Amino acid sequence: MILEKIKEAPLSELIASLSALILIIGLSYKVGYYHPKPLSSLWVVSFFNPLDLAFAALKILFIYIFGLLIIDKSMFGESGIRNILVTGIGVTLLPVAIGIYSGDFLTVLPVALGMISVLILIKAEKIARIICIAVLAIIIPLLQGLVDVKSDLKSNKLPKVYLANNDNYADDWRMLDKLNDRLLLINIKNPEQLKIVEISEITKIELNK
């Protein structure tokens, strides 16, 4: 039923709504990634173009679509109410249990909150629906950005970058993000130090496994 309503929407309206949603999700994700410490570099967000924001939103959109498909099939099958309850409890409690077990609840909070929001969105009235859409488009991407930046800096898996004119060999520059046709680097030994460079300034990129 949910997918049928989407298919019935006018194409121009669907494209406009989806484009705006993707950009909002991407922007929210970038704010969540760059705003907290140790980066505290919200100024970086202004350098991203719409394509960069859309690419940042892809992972979150895939999660939403996957969850929507599962819930949609469960809810409007032969045993709709029972299935939706089982599915909702399952997809919500599983990440919560994983978070409690691992001791890092923040890592799974976006997934759990996303599933809850989708479940409410399906049967919600107008005001509740607006709140759920705001959570899905803004709050969850913000949280996911916070989770990802913690993981990226902690895991030390960011690609190592060698610069042609690097006067200080003690610096350890890593590729943090792409800004249009340039790269954003972070000094992993001093995470507050960021640098925007042209691709031509890079002599080698070493992937960390």
Side-chain angles (χ1 to χ4, degrees):
M1 183 179 292
I2 300 172
L3 297 179
E4 290 177 0
K5 289 182 178 179
I6 294 176
K7 291 177 181 178
E8 291 173 359
L11 182 59
S12 59
E13 181 180 322
L14 187 61
I15 292 175
S17 301
L18 186 59
S19 299
L21 180 63
I22 290 173
L23 292 179
I24 292 172
I25 291 175
L27 180 60
S28 300
Y29 174 83
K30 293 297 187 183
V31 170
Y33 193 98
Y34 286 100
H35 179 63
K37 293 182 178 181
L39 296 185
S40 300
S41 302
L42 202 56
W43 57 269
V44 173
V45 177
S46 63
F47 287 90
F48 292 109
N49 62 27
L51 188 60
D52 294 329
L53 297 179
F55 185 78
L58 280 181
K59 182 174 75 171
I60 298 173
L61 283 174
F62 281 137
I63 295 174
Y64 289 168
I65 293 171
F66 180 72
L68 184 61
L69 287 173
I70 293 177
I71 294 171
D72 188 69
K73 293 294 184 182
S74 301
M75 187 168 187
F76 299 106
E78 295 179 358
S79 304
I81 300 299
R82 179 172 59 84
N83 286 343
I84 192 61
L85 288 175
V86 172
T87 303
I89 293 173
V91 299
T92 303
L93 291 184
L94 179 60
V96 171
I98 294 174
I100 294 174
Y101 178 78
S102 64
D104 189 3
F105 183 70
L106 179 62
T107 302
V108 296
L109 180 60
V111 177
L113 186 59
M115 289 301 181
I116 293 173
S117 299
V118 172
L119 287 169
I120 297 175
L121 180 63
I122 292 173
K123 284 293 187 179
E125 298 298 330
K126 186 174 181 181
I127 297 179
R129 187 176 300 161
I130 292 174
I131 294 174
C132 287
I133 292 174
V135 170
L136 290 168
I138 300 174
I139 304 301
I140 293 175
L142 278 170
L143 291 173
Q144 190 60 53
L146 178 59
V147 169
D148 286 351
V149 71
K150 285 181 59 179
S151 174
D152 287 345
L153 297 181
K154 184 178 180 180
S155 64
N156 201 29
K157 290 184 178 180
L158 294 172
K160 185 177 180 65
V161 176
Y162 296 87
L163 299 172
N165 299 316
N166 187 11
D167 298 328
N168 188 355
Y169 292 97
D171 292 337
D172 186 0
W173 291 105
R174 303 297 179 99
M175 186 173 73
L176 185 64
D177 214 332
K178 184 183 78 70
L179 297 171
N180 300 324
D181 57 348
R182 294 175 291 177
L183 296 180
L184 177 66
L185 308 183
I186 180 172
N187 185 356
I188 207 69
K189 295 182 178 179
N190 181 15
E192 294 182 357
Q193 187 177 1
L194 301 179
K195 178 188 292 189
I196 299 175
V197 300
E198 301 288 342
I199 295 178
S200 59
E201 299 178 52
I202 298 173
T203 58
K204 185 171 71 170
I205 296 178
E206 185 179 279
L207 298 179
N208 294 315
K209 300 180 180 180

